[in-house]
Amino acid sequence: MIGKQTKGRGFRKLLDYLESREDAKLIGGNMSGRNARELAREFKLSRQLNSDADRVVYHVSLSAAKDDKLDDEKWGEIGDRYMKEMGFDANQFVIFRHHNTDDDHIHIAASRIRMDTGLLVHDSWDYVRSEKVLRQIEQDYELVQVQGSREKLNRTPSTGQIRRIRREQEEYSSGKRDTPPERIIKEQIQQTIDNASVDNPQMPLFIMRLQVDGISIRTGFTRNGKSKGISYEKDGQAFSGTQLGAAYTFPGLQKHRGVDYQSQRDDGRINELLLNPVTSLPEYPPQQEVILAQTPTNPQFTPPPEDESKRRVLQYYLTQQRGITNFLVQPLQRQGLAYIDQQENVVFIKRGLDGEKSGALVWDTARLDNHCTEYPENSDRSQGWFHFKLGGEAEDKIERVYLCSSPIDALTMAEIDRNGHKGQPLVRTMYMAVDDPDNLPFELLRNINRIGVAFNNDDRGNEAAQVVKSMLPQAKRIAPKGLSWNEILIKQQQQQQDELEQKQRSRGFSR
């Protein structure tokens, strides 16, 4: 059985395609809709739980081998089991069967947003997990055992190499050769890589293991931090990752071999290893090496506890004292992205671009410097940001971004932007509080041409703006005339209120 996975933004086009085939048949899932229109409408329920999430559509096709005979009931069981074991145990999904004489397969369309938490299903190593799930399903249902993609990823030896091995094997068997045929260098390198990556090590440790085993590594990076590739050399013979197979390229090591690579954490150490290769591994306490590889890089985040009795207090503070309308406040409260904790501080939740909650910014209402403190203290700020989107359609790509000093200013900038467009911006716009400009979502921002750097007009804000502009030349500095954008918004609202009262007095409405 072969599985192919994709992720996208729009449900309707996918559902229209799945329904349009002459042999299409809706055979399973957990939804009540019976056609593309009804199902698309139903999928909106999960999207409303996390309106800021991107690429929420999960589409997988499962194809049976030609000798496998499956009816609708078995296909439905397999689809249900596959989704559960891939982590979609609280998600909307629907199963269509497309069946002809040459290719019997099912399509599963699902929402990546969990109905119980509103978070996205983790997709780390989902291709590797899919292979494991499918191999087990083949065994349990007594289906044809399909060669997994891991096996296919290893490039086969050339014809000349095969002939050499056969010849040496014949010589060894007849006594003309004292030793069995030696595996070709390419296979030796592949096997060494497989052994070095068996416990999902971090990239520097993986490289050290290869160096100790006599394999030299060469790799390079573009100025944007993207890998140019990786090559290996043993006994004077060099091979690029592509020559060894897709699993041995730089991204393939991460995707198919499970090597853990994080650019900010690893690049400096990798450069040191390339310049000064090691001949022995550092000594670890017992089990530490494996523990380091298996420890999750993003531990579960536990936000500060909310004081539920003060929900109206937060609404009053944001609307009456900060000038933020309920248009923005209510979705924040509904999604749990802003609340008052038990110390009476305002908590703004930070999230990754996938919508997963990863940290918090705590706003002390008594402070006057328009900045938040990090929660938990000394946490990894690169894990997420306070952000939300407005304008355009939910499925549209982001075309504009405003970077702000605080969540209050991000909300303020959204209000100012809405006022300027008399409702909502015309294109999809993200408003983001960046508490540390050195930890930007660079991969997202570098492809966006319209970026407003709206940091505070103080020394800290101006210095941060220079850092951002050095990294993103297309960004434009838009400094508030006062200390913060929120002060400007409040003054504008006060002026509007004064003008309204003046008009009322002039018409005799005022007491």
Side-chain angles (χ1 to χ4, degrees), residues 441-480:
F442 183 77
E443 289 301 314
L444 168 71
L445 296 177
R446 69 188 183 91
N447 295 316
I448 297 176
N449 293 325
R450 301 164 67 183
I451 300 175
V453 184
F455 294 145
N456 288 344
N457 191 10
D458 56 13
D459 291 341
R460 179 173 172 178
N462 292 327
E463 182 178 350
Q466 291 180 351
V467 173
V468 173
K469 286 182 62 63
S470 67
M471 300 172 64
L472 300 166
Q474 75 274 30
K476 181 180 179 181
R477 173 67 163 133
I478 47 173

Side-chain angles (χ1 to χ4, degrees), residues 173 207 226 302 407 434:
S173 300
I207 291 175
K226 291 276 189 177
T302 302
V434 183

Side-chain angles (χ1 to χ4, degrees), residues 305-326 328-341 344-349 361-365 386 407-408 411:
E306 177 184 6
D307 187 343
E308 296 184 2
S309 67
K310 291 186 169 58
R311 292 188 176 181
R312 290 188 177 274
V313 175
L314 174 63
Q315 187 177 31
Y316 177 85
Y317 174 73
L318 291 178
T319 59
Q320 301 302 311
Q321 295 187 246
R322 291 294 177 173
I324 310 299
T325 63
N326 277 323
L328 297 178
V329 174
Q330 290 179 353
L332 284 180
Q333 290 186 299
R334 187 170 60 248
Q335 297 178 39
L337 300 180
Y339 59 86
I340 292 183
D341 65 11
E344 299 187 352
N345 297 314
V346 181
V347 176
F348 294 97
I349 296 298
L361 295 172
V362 179
W363 177 275
D364 184 348
T365 57
F386 173 84
I408 293 291
L411 292 165

Side-chain angles (χ1 to χ4, degrees), residues 41-88:
R41 187 182 301 118
E42 195 171 345
F43 271 121
K44 288 184 179 180
L45 295 175
S46 60
R47 189 186 286 276
Q48 290 172 356
L49 296 176
N50 193 340
S51 59
D52 288 338
D54 194 23
R55 300 181 69 83
V56 300
V57 180
Y58 178 75
H59 173 209
V60 59
S61 64
L62 303 179
S63 300
K66 290 184 178 181
D67 293 335
D68 287 332
K69 304 300 180 183
L70 297 168
D71 56 22
D72 289 347
E73 183 178 358
K74 287 295 184 186
W75 264 128
E77 289 179 9
I78 290 172
D80 288 344
R81 173 171 169 176
Y82 179 87
M83 294 301 287
K84 182 178 181 180
E85 296 195 21
M86 289 297 290
F88 289 78

Side-chain angles (χ1 to χ4, degrees), residues 195-243:
N195 294 338
S197 60
V198 67
D199 56 354
N200 307 119
Q202 295 178 1
M203 187 66 77
L205 176 58
F206 168 77
I207 291 175
M208 284 192 285
R209 289 174 175 174
L210 296 184
Q211 291 175 339
V212 170
D213 287 334
I215 297 177
S216 299
I217 302 295
R218 293 185 64 185
T219 188
F221 301 91
T222 66
R223 62 185 181 88
N224 293 328
K226 291 276 189 177
S227 169
K228 292 181 179 178
I230 190 168
S231 62
Y232 313 85
E233 181 178 343
K234 180 178 175 65
D235 296 340
Q237 294 190 42
F239 301 90
S240 67
T242 303
Q243 289 175 318

Side-chain angles (χ1 to χ4, degrees), residues 145-381:
Q145 297 286 295
V146 176
Q147 185 183 32
S149 62
R150 279 179 174 262
E151 290 78 18
K152 293 180 180 178
L153 292 169
N154 296 343
R155 291 209 169 177
T156 57
S158 66
T159 302
Q161 292 166 340
I162 293 174
R163 288 175 180 170
R164 191 266 299 171
I165 294 173
R166 287 176 177 172
R167 183 182 68 252
E168 292 181 355
Q169 181 62 48
E170 291 174 357
E171 293 174 351
Y172 177 71
S173 300
S174 64
K176 297 179 180 180
R177 181 182 175 90
D178 295 331
T179 59
E182 184 179 357
R183 300 179 68 182
I184 60 175
I185 295 293
K186 180 185 288 189
E187 290 182 341
Q188 293 179 34
I189 295 175
Q190 289 171 334
Q191 185 61 55
T192 304
I193 293 173
D194 294 346
N195 294 338
S197 60
V198 67
D199 56 354
N200 307 119
Q202 295 178 1
M203 187 66 77
L205 176 58
F206 168 77
I207 291 175
M208 284 192 285
R209 289 174 175 174
L210 296 184
Q211 291 175 339
V212 170
D213 287 334
I215 297 177
S216 299
I217 302 295
R218 293 185 64 185
T219 188
F221 301 91
T222 66
R223 62 185 181 88
N224 293 328
K226 291 276 189 177
S227 169
K228 292 181 179 178
I230 190 168
S231 62
Y232 313 85
E233 181 178 343
K234 180 178 175 65
D235 296 340
Q237 294 190 42
F239 301 90
S240 67
T242 303
Q243 289 175 318
L244 295 183
Y248 303 97
T249 63
F250 197 85
L253 291 170
Q254 303 165 63
K255 179 177 178 180
H256 302 293
R257 293 290 180 243
V259 178
D260 180 11
Y261 169 69
Q262 297 179 31
S263 176
Q264 292 184 341
R265 180 193 67 195
D266 297 337
D267 286 352
R269 182 59 178 144
I270 290 174
N271 287 330
E272 292 178 11
L273 291 170
L274 298 183
L275 293 173
N276 301 292
V278 299
T279 57
S280 62
L281 292 175
E283 294 184 3
Y284 293 94
Q287 300 298 319
Q288 183 176 350
E289 182 174 309
V290 176
I291 292 173
L292 286 174
Q294 295 177 345
T295 300
T297 56
N298 293 320
Q300 183 68 36
F301 166 68
T302 302
E306 177 184 6
D307 187 343
E308 296 184 2
S309 67
K310 291 186 169 58
R311 292 188 176 181
R312 290 188 177 274
V313 175
L314 174 63
Q315 187 177 31
Y316 177 85
Y317 174 73
L318 291 178
T319 59
Q320 301 302 311
Q321 295 187 246
R322 291 294 177 173
I324 310 299
T325 63
N326 277 323
F327 180 88
L328 297 178
V329 174
Q330 290 179 353
L332 284 180
Q333 290 186 299
R334 187 170 60 248
Q335 297 178 39
L337 300 180
Y339 59 86
I340 292 183
D341 65 11
Q342 296 177 357
Q343 283 71 46
E344 299 187 352
N345 297 314
V346 181
V347 176
F348 294 97
I349 296 298
K350 295 170 60 177
R351 296 173 296 158
L353 298 180
D354 61 357
E356 183 176 359
K357 297 177 181 179
S358 59
L361 295 172
V362 179
W363 177 275
D364 184 348
T365 57
R367 288 181 61 170
L368 301 176
D369 60 357
N370 199 42
H371 290 287
C372 295
T373 57
E374 195 79 10
Y375 181 92
E377 294 183 4
N378 301 320
S379 62
D380 182 0
R381 296 188 174 191

Side-chain angles (χ1 to χ4, degrees), residues 398-424:
I398 300 170
E399 296 188 26
R400 301 162 74 228
V401 174
Y402 285 102
L403 305 177
C404 304
S405 294
S406 69
I408 293 291
D409 270 0
L411 292 165
T412 299
M413 185 56 63
E415 290 289 356
I416 294 174
D417 205 19
R418 289 182 63 235
N419 293 337
H421 290 90
K422 297 181 179 181
Q424 289 230 41

